[in-house]
Amino acid sequence: MARTPPTAPTRPSKYVDFLLYAGAAVSYITLSIFNKWLLDWIVGPLWLVAWVWGLPALWNLVRGRPVRPQRGPRPEASDP
Amino acid sequence: MSWAAHQFEVYAVEAHLPKKMQGQISWFAIFFGDFTPDFLAKFWVYGITIGGVHYGATKPYQWHRGWPGMGISHTLFFGALVCFGIWAWKHNRAWTIGYLLGFAAHVLTDVNDSIGTMLLFPFSTLNWSLHTWAYAATVSGGKYLDAAAYYSSFGFMMDLFWLIVVLASWRVLTREFWRTQVVPADPHVWSWLGQWLDDRGLLALYRGVFFYGVCRMIAWTTWAHVVAEPVINGVKHHGYPWDLSWTGPWWVRRVTLPQVTPWIVLPIALFLLVCVYFVAMTLWERMAPVPGTSRASASRNERR
């Protein structure tokens, strides 16, 4: 039986991303209407990171996959 | 004061950089430039209450934008001083010019409320205000009344305007833009953050300020007009009344500081905006790395 060609490198599904962003927005707005201390310039951005990065990371942790990113070299600076 | 407008400005500036600066200005510098004035001044405006005792400014408007007070934090002069400090310390034009643009955006936007900013400090301590909406931070009302007044007046429209500006430049929020324009301008910071976060997390961090702006705008507006039940002039209301008229809303006392006539504010503010643009363009060229600099200097720049 002929082997199928390898698929393109996997990247985060747009559908999952949309759900994560929407979940972050709905939960943050709903909670912060009644808990104003959440409307803070540190909490707000970190809330999004916690949802969009933290939840998938937690999922990976549960499945025994690495959480910390495995990456190659970053792009070089365009300006000193 | 402006609320979510300051979050949206960061992306508006990033999206509308002059062509020769695109992909080379630090997004973090724009953010910190836009953020610095309120970081220095706003905490004491609302103050804190511990054990029933309130600690904070007795005249919030004087402290926030006046002289004497922390009004200097909302002046182009102060922004220029910090930029000078950044350049003297790091010799990094991506951060120096980015900070300047973010800072100028904040100072010029804040001329809209009824106390405005000291645009020509230190040459003049008069405030420049368009009186588009009432400045409403008071000791008794605190942050809640301030938010309610802002999101019932033209302040809401100001946030909406900046939101539309960003949405009209929606590419600034895309993964592609972040990867090709934002990361290359700040490779070391993003690389450092990349030790812990993958691309999805880094992108969320980049979009986080926009997210916060949208959410706080929706949350405060919903609270002010759906949840709150204020008593105004002895009458209980279900939600604070909207008042989209100049200097509104009518139900807060509009405070002012010694200021110039409002008629000259808009042309001068626009003139200063053009000046900032040309100063940034000129400095960008002059701050360019000189070919053939000493080996030590080149090495130092490389590390940055």
Side-chain angles (χ1 to χ4, degrees):
Chain A
M1 196 170 86
R3 293 182 62 182
T4 53
T7 55
T10 55
R11 56 184 297 247
S13 148
K14 281 188 176 176
Y15 180 68
V16 173
D17 269 6
F18 173 78
L19 285 180
L20 289 170
Y21 276 92
V26 170
S27 60
Y28 185 59
I29 290 169
T30 307
L31 285 172
S32 60
I33 286 173
F34 301 100
N35 302 278
K36 300 292 184 305
W37 63 270
L38 289 171
L39 291 170
D40 178 88
W41 70 274
I42 295 174
V43 176
L46 288 186
W47 189 280
L48 182 68
V49 174
W51 271 76
V52 174
W53 171 80
L55 286 183
L58 196 64
W59 178 244
N60 284 338
L61 199 66
V62 169
R63 298 178 71 185
R65 290 179 179 174
V67 172
R68 291 189 68 158
Q70 317 285 313
R71 58 174 87 245
R74 304 290 290 175
E76 281 303 308
S78 57
D79 193 47
Chain B
M1 66 185 79
S2 301
W3 288 53
H6 292 317
Q7 278 81 61
F8 301 144
E9 280 165 4
V10 175
Y11 298 89
V13 170
E14 175 72 47
H16 296 95
L17 288 171
K19 201 166 184 177
K20 61 183 173 185
M21 297 182 194
Q22 286 172 6
Q24 299 186 69
I25 291 284
S26 164
W27 177 81
F28 286 105
I30 300 172
F31 166 73
F32 282 118
D34 205 304
F35 171 77
T36 301
D38 280 346
F39 176 75
L40 293 175
K42 215 168 172 182
F43 175 73
W44 205 240
V45 168
Y46 300 125
I48 50 169
T49 302
I50 302 172
V53 181
H54 181 77
Y55 300 92
T58 49
K59 282 186 180 175
Y61 56 97
Q62 173 73 40
W63 167 264
H64 195 178
R65 306 276 183 74
W67 180 263
M70 279 302 284
I72 189 174
S73 66
H74 284 67
T75 63
L76 293 172
F77 171 74
F78 183 79
L81 280 184
V82 178
C83 287
F84 179 77
I86 294 172
W87 178 250
W89 180 34
K90 284 290 183 186
H91 275 263
N92 185 324
R93 63 176 182 169
W95 270 77
T96 307
I97 302 299
Y99 190 93
L100 173 69
L101 296 175
F103 197 97
H106 187 120
V107 170
L108 293 173
T109 302
D110 274 354
V111 298
N112 279 285
D113 63 32
S114 61
I115 55 171
T117 55
M118 295 185 288
L119 284 185
L120 297 189
F121 186 90
F123 305 107
S124 164
T125 55
L126 290 176
N127 281 51
W128 296 64
S129 162
L130 283 169
H131 297 269
T132 315
W133 60 83
Y135 180 96
T138 59
V139 174
S140 57
K143 194 173 189 175
Y144 283 41
L145 182 66
D146 194 13
Y150 182 80
Y151 284 112
S152 301
S153 66
F154 268 130
F156 174 80
M157 301 306 286
M158 176 58 93
D159 277 11
L160 199 59
F161 166 76
W162 283 106
L163 175 61
I164 291 169
V165 169
V166 177
L167 293 179
S169 329
W170 57 270
R171 283 188 178 83
V172 75
L173 297 169
T174 61
R175 180 187 298 270
E176 186 64 19
F177 187 94
W178 170 74
R179 193 189 289 277
T180 60
Q181 305 284 314
V182 178
V183 175
D186 245 334
H188 304 299
V189 177
W190 289 107
S191 179
W192 182 77
L193 291 168
Q195 295 174 80
W196 298 282
L197 302 174
D198 57 15
D199 279 9
R200 184 188 249 168
L202 294 174
L203 184 59
L205 192 65
Y206 167 66
R207 290 170 173 165
V209 179
F210 177 77
F211 169 85
Y212 170 55
V214 172
C215 290
R216 80 189 295 213
M217 186 181 168
I218 296 173
W220 277 116
T221 306
T222 306
W223 169 78
H225 298 288
V226 178
V227 178
E229 294 189 334
V231 177
I232 301 171
N233 297 338
V235 179
K236 187 174 181 180
H237 292 258
H238 291 287
Y240 285 90
W242 284 96
D243 180 8
L244 297 181
S245 64
W246 211 258
T247 71
W250 57 266
W251 40 266
V252 293
R253 189 173 69 89
R254 181 169 58 92
V255 292
T256 58
L257 286 167
Q259 57 192 254
V260 300
T261 175
W263 297 107
I264 62 169
V265 174
L266 186 59
I268 295 296
L270 290 174
F271 172 73
L272 288 173
L273 180 63
V274 172
C275 286
V276 168
Y277 179 84
F278 280 106
V279 166
M281 294 281 275
T282 307
L283 289 179
W284 182 256
E285 294 296 338
R286 293 191 174 205
M287 289 172 168
V290 181
T293 49
S294 72
R295 193 170 178 169
S297 170
S299 161
R300 193 181 60 196
N301 281 341
E302 204 170 290
R303 284 202 303 276
R304 285 176 191 132

